[in-house]
């Protein structure tokens, strides 16, 4: 029997206040998921196999499998369906990353050359398609409900990507941005939590509560990630601070800053002036914008928005039993709300 150190367990390392038994159970599930991921991206074609495992071995937060493992705590976390379910959502997520990097012309992903930079756009797109196919194949082994849920989630992901690509058009930019995050990111996190409850045999009302929690915490998770790009150093965020600013990606604090035209403060005015120019590639101007944004009222408002979504997610746990797994999910709300300072 392997002895697991609580200092190495995933929830503890994230700062989540969690019962050691729950943490050990989640850790064991994630270890099994990691092993299965490598098997599930295997291919008889050496090029496909190498390109498909590229992002698997590059690491990542594995936030979606984590939500599957936590959701499973409300039923039987030892169910043989949990690890395949977690692979469905993680393979779906990885597939979107291959496609995103092609669309964004990204050269780096998770600190390593992106698949499109290494093998070209065509191979990256087709490997993404392969991973979607593998996810669908595994979902089929779980039954028609899993297939239907994965297909509906995939549809939402695509709609979110299309909405991001075409822009807000006549829609309020902030509402549009939140809609994109809900469809492109939170939908799959919702399905992750739902899968955990569903395939562990949890009660139907508990599965519904987990799905609602997953969608709302998914929005908070993505928003906090975007704030970390502004507030953190590269060791914390995994990328150079201010990458979104440099690339002209309109995250929530930027949209809040641009929308607050009535703020007569000189710093706010200067920040709006810089941001209206789009991508900020000049180093001195980028440093100025990053400093102004970090201290802005827009950043404070964005932090409050993250916290409001985290609190909404906590409220959606109300129908779940008062238990250590529920407390772990509640603590995760605090971690996501607090990690941007």
């Amino acid at each position: 029997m392997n002895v697991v150190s609580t200092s190495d367990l995933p929830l503890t390392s994230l700062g989540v206040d969690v019962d050691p038994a729950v943490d050990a159970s989640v850790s064991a599930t994630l270890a099994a998921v990691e092993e299965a991921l490598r098997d599930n991206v295997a291919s008889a074609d050496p090029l496909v196999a190498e390109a498909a495992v590229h992002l698997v071995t590059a690491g990542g937060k594995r936030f979606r499998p984590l939500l599957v493992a936590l959701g499973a705590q409300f039923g039987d976390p030892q169910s043989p369906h949990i690890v395949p379910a977690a692979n469905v959502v993680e393979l779906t997520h990885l597939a979107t990353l291959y496609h995103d990097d092609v669309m964004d012309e990204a050269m780096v992903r998770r600190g390593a050359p992106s698949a499109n930079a290494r093998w070209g756009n065509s191979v990256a797109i087709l490997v993404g398609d392969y991973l979607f196919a593998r996810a669908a194949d595994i979902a089929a082994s779980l039954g028609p409900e899993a297939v239907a849920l994965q297909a509906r989630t995939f549809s939402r992901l695509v709609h979110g990507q299309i909405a991001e690509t075409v822009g807000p058009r006549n829609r309020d930019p902030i509402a549009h941005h939140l809609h994109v995050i809900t469809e492109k990111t939170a939908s799959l996190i919702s399905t992750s939590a739902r899968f955990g409850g569903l395939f562990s045999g949890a009660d139907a009302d508990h599965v519904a509560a987990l799905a609602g929690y997953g969608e709302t915490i998914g929005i908070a998770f993505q928003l906090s990630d975007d704030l970390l790009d502004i507030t953190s150093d590269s060791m914390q965020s995994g990328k150079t601070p201010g990458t979104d600013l440099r690339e002209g990606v309109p995250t929530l604090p930027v949209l809040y800053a641009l929308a607050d035209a009535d703020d007569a403060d000189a710093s706010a005015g200067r920040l709006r002036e810089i941001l209206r120019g789009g991508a900020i590639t000049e180093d001195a101007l980028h440093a100025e914008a990053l400093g102004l944004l970090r201290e802005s009222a827009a950043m404070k408002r964005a932090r409050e928005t993250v916290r409001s979504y985290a609190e909404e997610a906590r409220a959606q746990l109300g129908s779940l039993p008062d238990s250590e797994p529920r407390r772990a999910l509640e603590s995760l709300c605090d971690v996501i709300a607090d990690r941007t300072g």
Side-chain angles (χ1 to χ4, degrees):
M1 179 177 179
N2 294 329
V3 178
V4 181
S5 168
T6 56
S7 63
D8 297 328
L9 297 177
L11 290 169
T12 301
S13 66
L14 287 173
V16 175
D17 184 12
V18 60
D19 176 74
V22 172
D23 210 356
S25 174
V26 169
S27 180
T29 297
L30 292 183
V33 168
E34 202 67 25
E35 183 176 351
L37 276 173
R38 285 164 172 75
D39 293 337
N40 285 325
V41 299
S43 168
D45 186 302
L47 175 60
V48 174
E50 182 184 8
V53 80
H54 181 62
L55 283 185
V56 172
T57 56
K61 302 180 185 72
R62 301 289 191 255
F63 189 69
R64 292 149 191 84
L66 175 64
L67 264 292
V68 176
L70 280 169
Q73 298 297 313
F74 295 90
D76 175 13
Q78 303 298 318
S79 165
H81 302 307
I82 298 303
V83 171
N87 270 252
V88 170
V89 295
E90 187 65 8
L91 287 171
T92 300
H93 171 59
L94 290 172
T96 67
L97 299 184
Y98 281 82
H99 289 177
D100 282 354
D101 285 346
V102 171
M103 296 184 69
D104 298 340
E105 299 180 346
M107 294 293 101
V108 177
R109 167 69 69 174
R110 295 176 175 173
S114 62
N116 47 298
R118 186 166 174 182
W119 292 284
N121 286 346
S122 295
V123 169
I125 291 169
L126 291 169
V127 169
D129 291 345
Y130 170 69
L131 294 180
F132 277 126
R134 291 296 298 124
D137 191 17
I138 298 166
S141 73
L142 294 171
E145 188 168 10
V147 173
L149 285 169
Q150 198 255 355
R152 290 174 199 147
T153 305
F154 186 26
S155 175
R156 292 185 67 187
L157 293 172
V158 172
H159 277 86
Q161 184 62 68
I162 291 171
E164 182 178 55
T165 300
V166 302
R169 293 180 282 184
N170 297 322
R171 190 174 189 178
D172 171 64
I174 295 170
H176 170 77
H177 180 66
L178 293 172
H179 168 73
V180 167
I181 287 175
T182 302
E183 297 299 289
K184 186 179 172 182
T185 300
S187 63
L188 186 57
I189 295 174
S190 173
T191 295
S192 302
R194 181 190 293 272
F195 269 14
L198 179 65
F199 292 110
S200 68
D203 292 346
D205 59 333
H206 295 165
V207 173
L210 287 165
Y213 170 87
E215 181 136 334
T216 312
I217 204 66
I219 299 170
F221 175 75
Q222 183 60 58
L223 290 175
S224 66
D225 250 16
D226 293 342
L227 267 61
L228 280 174
D229 178 60
I230 298 166
T231 63
S232 69
D233 58 33
S234 57
M235 291 297 291
Q236 183 181 6
S237 66
K239 60 182 180 179
T240 304
T243 296
D244 291 333
L245 278 178
R246 195 175 291 278
E247 296 176 354
V249 177
T251 55
L252 188 63
V254 168
L255 293 172
Y256 278 157
L258 288 170
D260 197 7
D262 294 331
D263 189 341
D265 178 76
S267 295
R270 174 59 179 160
L271 179 59
R272 284 195 301 275
E273 179 185 354
I274 299 172
L275 294 176
R276 284 177 183 140
I280 308 170
T281 57
E282 199 274 312
D283 288 345
L285 198 61
H286 178 269
E288 181 185 1
L290 192 58
L292 289 170
L293 193 55
R294 284 172 172 169
E295 301 301 321
S296 67
M299 177 60 73
K300 180 181 178 182
R301 184 181 174 192
R303 286 192 177 104
E304 291 170 351
T305 301
V306 172
R307 184 166 294 281
S308 71
Y309 277 108
E311 289 305 313
E312 182 182 342
R314 186 198 307 276
Q316 289 171 327
L317 298 172
S319 65
L320 294 175
D322 184 12
S323 60
E324 292 298 339
R326 174 174 162 175
R327 278 184 277 281
L329 291 172
E330 290 171 340
S331 180
L332 184 60
C333 295
D334 295 328
V335 169
I336 290 174
D338 294 341
R339 68 180 182 146
T340 58

